[in-house]
Amino acid sequence: MAVNTSADAPLPVGEVSRLIGGWIDRLGAVWVEGQITQLSRRPGAGVVFMTLRDPSYDISVSVTCYRQVFDSVADIVSEGARVVVHAKPEWYAPRGQLSLRAAEIKPVGVGELLARLEQLKKALTNEGLFAPERKKTLPFLPQLIGLVCGRASAAERDVLENARHRWPAVRFEVRNVAVQGVHAVPQVIQAVKELDVLDDVDVIIVARGGGSVEDLLPFSDEQLVRAVVSCRTPVVSAIGHEPDNPLLDYAADLRASTPTDAAKKVVPDVGEEYERVRFLQDRARRSVMSFIEREERGLANALARPSIEDPHRMIDDREGQVAALLDRARRCLGHLLDRADSELSHTHARVVGLSPAATLRRGYAVLQKTDGHVIRTPDEVAAEEPLRARVAEGEFTVIRAD
């Protein structure tokens, strides 16, 4: 419950410690899971001291128990073991220290660990953290590889030697960390985050040699899985041997069966690439030569055609046809012109024979009034009216006399 205090009415340290102890006492006994990091069994002492640690969050709490409680599991529990403790929280007021008084200790068996890992795997799968579509593609030739592994470990040696044997120019940014025990999870997470923020790092390999289920347990930690999923740099998991499958394998962008396999999958082999390039060069050369030969044959076939071999032959052949058609056209046009000329002559003769001028030449005359009106009857002319007479060779004036 909240306590009313102020700068003018503060609580003494002892009162605060007493209140905290009261709150903790009301918590009652709880079951707690963790990993034993420190274990003290002094000969003749009736109490056993240990430290229980949560590797995921780097939090520890002191645990005490009577010797007879610990002796029941002493043969199977040691430092580094994961246990479940039934304990009551206690507050030591003089020092302001929290501890747990254990009444029962149970080791966590392999079967229980595997069952919990399976439950965690299903939960993370349902979140989509292991989905194939979120995995990133590794670069073909990484220039700088981040490596997270144990110090002077066989895994580090396998990755470095195999990678440099395959591609001598490859470079590494190595982070040596604890790969088992209580410090493994926070150190691996910190190393992965450090490498992920480096712009030059193209891919990150997390490597460890084989071991028991308990030894590989840090690489199934939920916090580590989430840290790897959130990386912007592709991550390769190379934990243990082929049968080992920590949850990191599912979260990583690529799973390698061993550290050696990781080096082979991340770094191309310079000899194989050289052979591939040479093969592609030969293939390209053959393709180009085949294309050139095909085009040469096509050109030769085109040049062998009569139209190309003797280009004037077609013109010469057509020249005779054009000349014959031209002569025929001239003859046809001549015939048409001759017939038209004959018809025109006949028509001209008829027109001339029927024209007034021809009539006048035969001795006839045309009488017209001064206004040009042609006289057709005598009644149209008055007495003494002057008229104009038109004959073949001209005209003259006449006057009607009665």
Side-chain angles (χ1 to χ4, degrees), residues 302-335:
L303 293 175
R305 293 178 180 177
S307 59
I308 301 298
E309 198 170 39
D310 185 7
H312 296 287
R313 178 178 178 181
M314 183 181 295
I315 298 176
D316 295 340
D317 293 342
R318 296 298 181 183
E319 183 181 13
Q321 296 178 7
V322 170
L325 292 173
L326 182 60
D327 183 63
R328 179 180 176 183
R330 284 174 178 166
R331 290 197 305 270
C332 291
L333 183 59
H335 294 327

Side-chain angles (χ1 to χ4, degrees), residues 50-67:
M50 67 185 76
T51 299
L52 201 61
R53 184 184 183 92
D54 186 341
S56 298
Y57 295 96
D58 197 15
I59 297 176
S60 301
V61 65
S62 298
V63 179
T64 60
C65 66
Y66 292 113
R67 175 175 288 275

